[in-house]
Every structure is written in structure tokens, then in C-alpha cells.
């Protein structure tokens, strides 16, 4: 059995909360030295509020040639974990074993010197990675071509934009053939074309059998590129396993919006003397096969309301807006649905929205209630819900898809005339 490329056992990292005062005079230095033993005893006896555990009890193994995705919210400890594995910082407890030459891309310009040129920094970064000069020279042209900084190669790095630094840093880290590549949110900087190149290169690196640890907020990229995933929350592992399962669990916990509202007492519910709402919710359809709403998921919108007076039948109409405020569609229960109307009682109107229709992002539902052609009640921001991205249809593209909708259309391609053939008779 192969030894693990990365083995982490009981890893923890603790930081002191609050900045230390820098001594300003010799007297301050002497006074701090005298107080230091007392301060240590005080801190040891103090409550845990004096310290923050960025990581605690982290354990996992990663076999050679595998790709592990790390997901979690800001402050979960993802970057701290990579810094420990990169030997930038030491753990407070536990151990981390890394077998192989490590290439790290943890932030813009990692390992670069601002006063050196792009050319000099390529050789500097390669030397830090343990590469021989001949190896760097062999890959130099490929690195420069990938980074697209040829015109500025002999310009000091301090004059590069953050995007240029990121392109060059990623090109160095990915092309100098480290056995283990640690990448922290490579998509945070750069245009759409650069994102495609980065993720394509990462896929190629993983396909060559190198080990990759990939931290990202792009869930589609994690699912497409990674063999397994780990979800960190408040410095601890919450879930580990297949990328689809871990990402789905993480997204369920972090989904934004209010997709289910209920009012048990009509007196306090939204409405007026004619109508009062009982419940409103958005949920994946029963046959959706997913607990979250993605771009591929069919979902239902359900509205329950009390008709307090009866008479003219009530009908509800939905306005669905995206996060830019664009009206995606208008749909009304008056157009169908059947059922008895016009008597006092509690009603439920529901409709099904097909999958492969909406783009990803936050969506908002506004409802209008009609009696005939008269609007008897309007409620803005009734529900908000998040349509999550789905990796199935992406291929190698991981940027933001443009447009208010993202329908799955039926396409057909046919050859109507072979090159050099006589025109077909009309």
C-alpha cells in the first residue's frame, strides 16, 4: 500500500486574541521582561476567551495522485491548514506529514520579491520549490506564455497588477512540477479567460498523478476537479467524503434567504380584510432527487391563504426577480389549476417550476392577489431563495454564466454540404 502524500493527525492551531503592544522605550522593554512570567501565568489561568483555535482536532489522509477539496465559510480555518502544510506556520498541537516537493499558491505573489522582475521571480520561486536551474529554464517559455506577461517580464513585480501577479504565481506553481500542489482560492483574482486556463491546468496537473489540495468557494469547480472533499467549520471537520455529498451538505447549511414562512394566527399574518396568508414556501419538487435547489432542480412554490369574505374568486400571481432586479417571469393561478373558489376558507395554490430554466443566484418572489381584475393585496419580498450552481452542464467553464435564465435547449447539428461537393439541388 502506498504511503499517504499528506497525513494529518490531531492538528490544531491556536492564536492569541488581541494585538500585543510594541515597547516604545528601553524602560518599556525592561518592564515587559519583568512582567512576562506573570503574564504567562495569568494567560494560563485565564478563560478560553484569550485564545482562538483556528484549527482543532483535524485528521485526514490524502493518497498520492488524488485531489482533495476543502470547503467552508470565511474564518473556517482553510487557509491556516494550507499554511501549516506549506510549513509557513507551525501547529500548536498534532502533526502533519507531507511527503514530496510542495508547490503553494496561497495568496497573490506568494514567494515573490517586489523589487525583482518577473523573470527573476520565476527563477526565485523555482529555487524555493527546490528546482534546478536547468529545470526552470526548460519550462520558462511555457510559464511566460501561460501567464501572458511577456511584455512586462523584465519589469519589477511591484508594478504588476494583482491579476498579473496571480497569473505569474499560478503559472510558476503549476508548471514547475511539484509533487504536491496547494492552491487557495485561485479564482479569487483574474478574468474569465484566466479562470478557464487555471482550472484547465489544475485538471491537467491532477490527471498527471500529482497530489492537489484545493481550497475554493466555487462549488462547481470542487465537484468537477476533486476526488474527495472536507468541510471545515469553526476550525473543525464537519463532513468528509465524496465531493458531491460534502458540497450538498455544506450548501444546505449555508443557503441564504427565507424560503419558508408560516403564520399560524390570521390576525398577525400579512394581508387585509379580504385575505390573510398562512404559509409561503419554495422547495425542491418531490421527484427532484436533491435537497437543495440547483440550476437543474425542478421546484414548487406553495402559497396558503385564508379567503376571509368569499364572493369574487381570488387568484394569485407570482413575479420572480433575480438578484439584479430583473423580472424573470410572471405566472398566475387564474390561468389554470382548477379547484373550488369563491367560498370562505383556507386555500393552497401551488405551481411547479421546471429545472434547467433559472440561472444561479439569489431570487425573490413577489405576490399579487386578484379578485377579478382588481389587485386586492400585494406583498413584495415574500420569499427569497438561492439557486445553486450545478456542475453537470459546465464542462471546463467555471465562471459566472451570463443572462437571467439558463435553459437547456435541444440542439441538432447536421452536415448540409461536404466541402468540395456539388451544391445540393433545391
Amino acid at each position: 500500500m502506498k504511503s499517504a502524500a499528506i497525513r494529518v493527525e490531531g492538528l490544531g492551531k491556536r492564536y492569541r486574541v488581541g494585538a500585543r503592544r510594541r515597547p516604545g522605550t528601553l524602560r518599556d522593554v525592561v518592564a515587559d521582561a519583568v512582567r512576562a512570567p506573570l503574564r504567562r501565568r495569568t494567560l494560563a489561568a485565564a478563560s478560553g476567551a484569550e485564545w482562538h483555535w483556528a484549527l482543532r482536532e483535524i485528521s485526514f489522509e490524502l493518497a498520492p495522485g488524488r485531489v482533495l477539496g476543502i470547503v467552508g465559510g470565511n474564518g473556517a480555518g482553510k487557509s491556516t491548514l494550507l499554511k501549516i502544510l506549506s510549513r509557513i506556520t507551525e501547529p500548536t498541537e498534532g502533526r502533519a506529514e507531507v511527503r514530496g516537493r510542495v508547490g503553494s499558491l496561497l495568496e497573490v505573489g506568494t514567494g515573490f520579491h517586489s523589487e525583482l522582475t518577473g523573470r527573476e521571480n520565476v527563477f526565485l520561486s523555482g529555487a524555493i520549490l527546490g528546482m534546478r536551474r536547468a529545470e526552470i529554464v526548460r519550462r520558462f517559455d511555457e510559464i511566460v506564455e501561460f501567464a501572458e506577461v511577456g511584455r512586462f517580464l523584465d519589469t519589477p513585480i511591484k508594478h504588476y497588477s494583482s491579476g498579473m501577479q496571480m497569473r505569474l504565481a499560478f503559472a510558476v506553481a503549476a508548471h514547475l512540477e511539484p509533487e504536491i500542489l496547494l492552491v487557495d482560492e485561485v479564482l479569487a483574482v483574474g478574468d474569465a479567460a484566466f479562470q478557464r486556463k487555471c482550472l484547465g491546468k489544475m485538471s491537467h496537473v491532477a490527471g498527471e498523478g500529482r497530489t492537489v489540495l484545493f481550497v475554493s468557494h466555487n462549488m462547481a469547480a470542487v465537484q468537477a476537479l476533486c476526488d474527495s472533499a472536507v468541510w471545515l467549520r469553526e476550525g473543525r471537520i464537519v463532513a468528509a467524503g465524496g465531493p458531491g455529498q460534502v458540497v450538498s451538505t455544506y450548501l444546505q447549511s449555508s443557503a441564504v434567504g427565507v424560503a419558508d414562512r408560516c403564520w399560524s394566527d390570521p390576525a398577525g399574518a400579512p394581508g387585509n380584510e379580504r385575505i390573510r396568508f398562512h404559509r409561503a414556501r419554495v422547495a425542491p419538487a418531490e421527484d427532484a432527487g436533491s435537497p437543495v435547489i440547483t440550476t437543474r432542480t425542478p421546484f414548487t412554490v406553495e402559497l396558503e391563504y385564508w379567503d376571509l369574505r368569499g364572493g369574487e374568486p381570488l387568484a394569485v400571481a407570482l413575479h420572480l426577480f433575480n438578484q439584479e432586479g430583473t423580472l424573470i417571469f410572471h405566472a398566475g393561478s387564474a390561468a389554470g389549476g382548477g379547484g373550488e373558489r369563491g367560498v370562505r376558507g383556507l386555500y393552497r395554490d401551488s405551481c411547479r417550476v421546471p429545472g434547467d430554466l433559472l440561472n444561479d443566484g439569489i431570487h425573490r418572489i413577489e405576490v399579487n392577489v386578484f379578485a377579478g381584475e382588481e389587485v386586492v393585496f400585494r406583498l413584495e419580498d415574500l420569499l427569497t431563495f438561492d439557486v445553486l450552481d450545478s456542475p453537470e452542464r459546465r464542462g471546463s467553464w467555471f465562471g459566472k454564466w451570463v443572462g437571467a435564465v439558463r435553459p437547456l435547449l435541444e440542439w441538432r447539428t447536421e452536415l448540409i454540404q461536404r466541402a468540395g461537393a456539388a451544391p445540393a439541388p433545391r
Side-chain angles (χ1 to χ4, degrees):
M1 181 178 178
K2 281 189 175 182
S3 299
I6 299 175
R7 176 179 287 111
V8 175
E9 297 177 355
L11 199 67
K13 180 63 180 178
R14 183 177 68 170
Y15 290 102
R16 169 86 180 276
V17 176
R20 295 183 178 179
R21 177 179 59 87
R22 171 175 288 182
T25 65
L26 177 60
R27 183 180 65 181
D28 293 334
V29 173
V30 173
D32 279 357
V34 172
R35 287 195 295 262
L38 177 61
R39 182 187 302 117
R40 283 195 290 269
R41 287 196 297 272
T42 303
L43 289 174
S47 66
E50 290 286 342
W51 300 89
H52 170 68
W53 285 93
L55 292 174
R56 200 73 192 269
E57 300 176 357
I58 302 296
S59 299
F60 66 87
E61 289 188 5
L62 184 60
R66 308 298 287 176
V67 183
L68 175 66
I70 308 290
V71 303
N74 294 329
K78 306 183 299 296
S79 297
T80 301
L81 175 60
L82 293 193
K83 288 178 181 178
I84 292 175
L85 297 178
S86 301
R87 299 186 179 91
I88 294 174
T89 186
E90 294 184 353
T92 305
E93 62 182 20
R95 60 185 297 177
E97 298 178 4
V98 180
R99 294 186 174 91
R101 187 164 53 194
V102 178
S104 303
L105 186 57
L106 306 186
E107 57 187 35
V108 176
T110 299
F112 284 173
H113 191 293
S114 62
E115 297 296 333
L116 299 181
T117 66
R119 183 188 305 274
E120 292 166 336
N121 271 295
V122 169
F123 283 89
L124 174 63
S125 296
I128 292 173
L129 289 173
M131 307 295 294
R132 300 185 184 90
R133 181 178 177 83
E135 293 178 274
I136 302 173
V137 170
R138 179 169 55 86
R139 306 301 298 271
F140 186 83
D141 291 342
E142 189 177 348
I143 291 170
V144 174
E145 181 181 359
F146 185 94
E148 300 175 359
V149 295
R151 286 183 56 200
F152 310 98
L153 195 57
D154 294 309
T155 301
I157 283 287
K158 65 182 180 181
H159 299 305
Y160 283 28
S161 68
S162 59
M164 293 168 63
Q165 290 187 42
M166 172 59 80
R167 291 201 299 271
L168 187 57
F170 183 86
V172 171
H175 286 77
L176 291 185
E177 301 180 349
E179 294 162 305
I180 299 172
L181 182 61
L182 308 179
V183 184
D184 189 358
E185 196 52 81
V186 70
L187 300 181
V189 178
D191 55 23
F194 174 64
Q195 292 178 18
R196 286 196 297 271
K197 289 178 66 173
C198 279
L199 287 159
K201 183 61 179 178
M202 282 191 57
S203 180
H204 177 69
V205 166
E208 291 180 334
R210 281 182 270 173
T211 307
V212 181
L213 205 63
F214 179 43
V215 168
S216 181
H217 292 288
N218 189 317
M219 297 300 104
V222 170
Q223 293 185 78
L225 296 176
C226 299
D227 304 308
S228 58
V230 169
W231 170 23
L232 293 182
R233 182 173 63 192
E234 297 180 354
R236 296 178 182 268
I237 293 179
V238 179
Q245 176 187 357
V246 172
V247 167
S248 177
T249 305
Y250 168 61
L251 291 176
Q252 287 181 63
S253 72
S254 59
V256 301
V258 181
D260 194 340
R261 303 176 69 184
C262 186
W263 301 270
S264 57
D265 183 5
N272 51 27
E273 69 281 354
R274 179 65 201 273
I275 181 176
R276 293 283 179 178
F277 277 91
H278 173 53
R279 189 180 186 187
R281 76 182 190 117
V282 174
E286 292 183 358
D287 59 345
S290 170
V292 296
I293 298 175
T294 73
T295 54
R296 305 216 65 183
T297 307
F299 62 91
T300 59
V301 181
E302 293 183 0
L303 301 172
E304 297 180 7
Y305 56 90
W306 288 281
D307 185 340
L308 302 177
R309 194 164 61 193
E312 183 77 23
L314 297 179
V316 297
L318 303 178
H319 287 168
L320 181 70
F321 298 87
N322 65 9
Q323 58 195 26
E324 285 79 31
T326 303
L327 177 63
I328 306 301
F329 64 70
H330 163 96
S333 62
E340 185 180 2
R341 293 182 179 272
V343 300
R344 295 175 57 193
L346 179 62
Y347 290 82
R348 177 189 293 129
D349 283 11
S350 61
C351 67
R352 177 185 172 103
V353 179
D356 294 309
L357 173 63
L358 301 181
N359 205 346
D360 62 302
I362 307 298
H363 289 73
R364 172 176 62 88
I365 288 179
E366 173 186 303
V367 64
N368 293 273
V369 182
F370 290 84
E373 297 184 357
E374 177 189 1
V375 177
V376 297
F377 186 68
R378 171 177 295 156
L379 184 58
E380 298 180 359
D381 298 331
L382 173 63
L383 297 170
T384 58
F385 63 100
D386 199 355
V387 177
L388 305 174
D389 203 357
S390 177
E392 286 90 348
R393 288 172 51 199
R394 280 190 163 272
S396 62
W397 166 241
F398 296 96
K400 171 66 177 175
W401 285 69
V402 298
V405 294
R406 197 158 132 193
L408 179 62
L409 304 179
E410 182 177 343
W411 287 85
R412 183 178 66 178
T413 301
E414 54 184 322
L415 177 66
I416 58 175
Q417 182 178 333
R418 191 177 298 276
R426 291 184 178 272

